[in-house]
Amino acid sequence: MLSRTLAAEGYAVEASPDGGTALAAVERSAPDLLVLDVAMPGIDGLAVARRLRDKGLGLPILLLTARDAVPDRVAGLDAGADDYLVKPFAAEELVARVRALLRRGSEPDEVLAYGDLVFDVRKRSASRAGEDVGLSSREADLLELLLLNRRRIVSRELALERVWGGQAAASLNVVDQYVSYLRAKLGDPPLIETVRGTGFLLR
């Protein structure tokens, strides 16, 4: 029913029958937004949200649940959800919340900053300690992704999906190569940390 409702609003929808399948689908191709039922077979919705956040995926998550007590709402938000909708709900409210979450994610700040690093989103340019950093378009896209997910791990798979368009366009090794380019251009002290076997983190 939800798939039909969202598809009728013009969204491309992929449905998963359980938590494990949902995790695999998101990691294979990160969507713009995830609508996640708490009570799913196998891995429940809270665990799915926590695992995605632990992997550094910053996509908006809307949790659906029949539990409306305050501790349940807190648990959902603490697991990494951006919004929380209690059943039963009107389809119009679900669609409105989806629109709001997507709108929030589509309006980035004009300037992203981390310490003495400043990135101009519109001009696709960066400076550190007041000194311009010359970036290629790929480097700018990768730096923006890291800044949008600062203090969260950005996996190689996510970087490949968002910056290069997926594994059909490039290999995972290219992410490491471009992180190396960024490190050299950003200088010392280093800002990008490699999280062994997972990805990269601004710290």
Side-chain angles (χ1 to χ4, degrees):
M1 184 273 288
L2 291 182
S3 293
R4 289 197 300 271
T5 298
L6 291 169
E9 293 291 325
Y11 297 110
V13 182
E14 180 178 348
S16 299
D18 55 66
T21 308
L23 275 172
V26 171
E27 290 173 7
R28 183 172 61 249
S29 180
D32 294 320
L33 178 140
L34 181 62
V35 179
L36 195 57
D37 201 314
V38 170
M40 291 192 296
I43 305 170
D44 70 16
L46 295 179
V48 170
R50 278 193 295 268
R51 291 192 189 187
L52 292 175
R53 295 303 187 225
D54 287 346
K55 288 178 175 290
L57 294 174
L59 74 163
I61 297 175
L62 171 60
L63 269 185
L64 308 179
T65 180
R67 305 168 188 165
D68 62 353
V70 171
D72 295 314
R73 293 172 184 265
V74 171
L77 295 171
D78 283 348
D82 297 279
D83 199 0
Y84 195 100
L85 189 56
V86 177
K87 303 174 187 178
F89 52 82
E92 293 83 359
E93 182 178 6
L94 171 76
V95 173
R97 288 177 184 251
V98 165
R99 279 198 303 266
L101 286 170
L102 288 172
R103 188 166 59 246
R104 188 187 310 169
S106 65
E107 297 175 352
D109 295 332
E110 289 189 11
V111 173
L112 300 172
Y114 185 81
D116 60 355
L117 173 64
V118 178
F119 180 76
D120 188 309
V121 174
R122 295 187 185 279
K123 293 181 179 177
R124 316 303 295 159
S125 62
S127 63
R128 187 169 188 194
E131 296 291 327
D132 288 338
V133 178
L135 299 175
S136 70
S137 60
R138 295 278 194 206
E139 290 165 351
D141 291 345
L142 181 56
L143 181 59
E144 181 181 19
L145 180 65
L146 288 165
L147 285 165
L148 288 171
N149 291 277
R150 50 192 173 274
R151 297 189 180 89
R152 287 200 296 252
I153 298 170
V154 173
S155 68
R156 289 174 175 84
E157 291 80 7
L158 177 63
L160 200 61
E161 178 70 29
R162 295 294 173 85
V163 178
W164 283 271
Q167 294 191 29
S171 68
L172 291 175
N173 290 338
V174 77
V175 180
D176 294 77
Q177 184 178 356
Y178 272 78
V179 166
S180 177
Y181 295 159
L182 274 180
R183 283 192 180 119
K185 289 187 175 183
L186 295 176
D188 293 322
L191 290 177
I192 306 173
E193 176 183 338
T194 299
V195 181
R196 192 177 186 88
T198 306
F200 304 94
L201 177 69
L202 276 182
R203 180 173 291 172

